[in-house]
Amino acid sequence: MLLALAAGFALSQAFRTVAAILATPLQAEFGLSAQALGVFAGAFHFAFGVMQFFMGIGIDLYGVRRTVLTAFPMAAAGALMAALAPGYGVLVLGQVLIGIGCAPAFLVCTVFIARHFPASRFAAVSGAVMGLSGVGMLATGTPLAWLVQAFSWRAGFMVLAGACVLAWCGIYATVHEPAPAPGDPKAPRESVAAAVRGFAALFLVRHTWGIVALGAVAYASFITLRGLWLGPLLIARHGFSLVDSGNVALAVSLAGIFSAPLFGRLDPGLARRRRWIVGCTLLTALVFAAMALAHSSWLDVAAPLAIALLSGYIVLQYADVRSAYPAALTGRAMAVFTMSMFLGVALMQWLTGAVASAAQAQGWEPFAAVLGAIAALLAAAAAAFAWLPAPAVARGSP
């Protein structure tokens, strides 16, 4: 069942990183500015992030299977719409539909793991699933670049639409909700109004804000680089071809695949986990700053690889969320964190597009401005996570 759910997650990973390869042909066909490109890439993540509220409630009330099977057809429909888009507006609408369809893909995996595996194995199993789902990012490296160069960017969306249909069939055939134990009374289903109140109540918990602040920036920094700016940076700054930039994207994706399982196994536990999270965030900020200040082709290839290797520490953030709330709130707590992550991606992609456009208007190199802005956001998020209230369990309190 977890493998079938991970297939949907892998497609979500593919959709959120297509812009890095499609950016150049889309700009050529529709005459897009850097800011318009940021809106295109961010539309998926905005829809994905907003829908976490509804997906978290849906999972808690109706279960993993029903929620993902209801939503995922929207991803196939959105990909088909994007493939046939006559203009920029329809293309963005397709991205929104894809984001809605993929919205439960990440969340159902984490909730499934939290409910069916012991807490001590959560980080390791989550890391393994995140690594496996990285196959989706691999597909949007060299394979997508070759497909786009040989045919068109529309062919890429068509292939992904077909893959969505296959993944939905796999989930339908294999995933089911666990049957209640014999003799256990059936618990009354919580009302939607009560679920909404429970979701909102999480924002009244003091330690939620530090978790949300870092959640909105940490993952966004990696996806904004890998999913939007990596291809344009290598092509415009260093003269790479589309396939050459796809090869680098493929290597970055491979590094990300190994990173998540590695951090899952290296989880230092409650006592030191938060220090590791802050340290990894600050180290990532330094790498982005180095890319902003230096204009070196080898550094602009090596630094994204280093960022990908560090990106696996998101597994530690999920483990931190898992331990910060009672079991009854697991689904909604994961949804709040995931919502902050993907709204953060949408905001960062829009913001970096605006930064790039402003830098170009001033005659500055846009990539240096974008990378410097990401470094500053990471440093600010690390400070917020470190200084805002922490969960009692992370402080060693009972």
Side-chain angles (χ1 to χ4, degrees):
M1 288 192 289
L2 189 53
L3 285 173
L5 293 173
F9 183 17
L11 278 165
S12 174
Q13 294 275 55
F15 280 119
R16 73 177 55 121
T17 53
V18 293
I21 298 301
L22 300 186
T24 300
L26 286 175
Q27 283 182 308
E29 180 159 342
F30 296 120
L32 304 183
S33 67
Q35 189 165 358
L37 192 62
V39 170
F40 160 74
F44 168 91
H45 298 96
F46 180 77
F48 190 108
V50 168
M51 291 303 295
Q52 295 308 303
F53 172 81
F54 302 100
M55 297 303 163
I57 291 174
I59 289 169
D60 281 346
L61 296 187
Y62 304 106
V64 164
R65 172 186 164 86
R66 196 175 299 178
T67 301
V68 72
L69 289 179
T70 300
F72 207 58
M74 299 279 284
L80 184 60
M81 179 181 288
L84 302 175
Y88 176 67
V90 177
L91 185 68
V92 172
L93 180 58
Q95 283 284 87
V96 170
L97 289 178
I98 294 168
I100 294 171
C102 289
F106 197 15
L107 189 57
V108 291
C109 291
T110 56
V111 172
F112 185 92
I113 295 165
R115 289 178 177 174
H116 296 276
F117 292 84
S120 60
R121 295 185 61 199
F122 180 84
V125 177
S126 296
V129 170
M130 290 182 69
L132 184 63
S133 72
V135 171
M137 281 199 292
L138 290 181
T140 58
T142 305
L144 181 64
W146 176 86
L147 185 67
V148 170
Q149 190 161 286
F151 299 98
S152 74
W153 61 267
R154 296 179 188 274
F157 275 119
M158 289 293 290
V159 169
L160 288 171
C164 285
V165 174
L166 293 176
W168 187 93
C169 291
I171 293 169
Y172 179 84
T174 61
V175 176
H176 60 267
E177 301 295 338
D184 281 0
K186 187 175 181 180
R189 178 178 286 176
E190 185 180 18
S191 70
V192 173
V196 170
R197 287 194 298 271
F199 198 103
L202 288 174
F203 290 95
L204 301 177
V205 179
R206 294 174 65 200
H207 64 251
T208 295
W209 292 102
I211 289 170
V212 165
L214 185 59
V217 175
Y219 182 66
S221 65
F222 172 60
I223 289 298
T224 297
L225 176 63
R226 168 60 183 86
L228 178 58
W229 293 110
L230 182 61
L233 181 148
L234 294 173
I235 292 169
R237 188 185 258 190
H238 302 297
F240 281 38
S241 70
L242 186 62
V243 171
D244 287 339
S245 65
N247 291 337
V248 176
L250 179 66
V252 170
S253 300
L254 280 170
I257 284 176
F258 290 108
S259 175
L262 177 62
F263 274 94
R265 293 197 170 275
L266 294 176
D267 180 15
L270 282 173
R272 293 184 295 155
R273 184 183 292 142
R274 288 195 143 223
R275 290 198 294 273
W276 276 46
I277 291 171
V278 171
C280 288
T281 304
L282 292 175
L283 185 55
T284 304
L286 286 175
V287 178
F288 271 103
M291 290 180 70
L293 296 174
H295 290 232
S296 164
S297 59
W298 73 263
L299 180 63
D300 285 346
V301 171
L305 290 170
I307 290 167
L309 289 171
L310 285 168
S311 69
Y313 80 92
I314 187 179
V315 174
L316 304 185
Q317 291 180 271
Y318 265 97
D320 180 59
V321 174
R322 172 69 177 79
S323 64
Y325 301 92
L329 296 178
T330 296
R332 271 159 274 194
M334 293 293 184
V336 166
F337 179 64
T338 306
M339 180 170 65
S340 72
M341 284 173 54
F342 288 96
L343 288 179
V345 173
L347 178 61
M348 186 176 286
Q349 292 191 332
W350 170 82
L351 178 63
T352 54
V355 166
S357 292
Q360 285 176 321
Q362 296 296 322
W364 302 338
E365 209 255 5
F367 302 111
V370 164
L371 296 166
I374 294 173
L377 287 170
L378 282 165
F385 185 78
W387 294 337
L388 287 171
V393 67
R395 297 193 301 268
S397 302

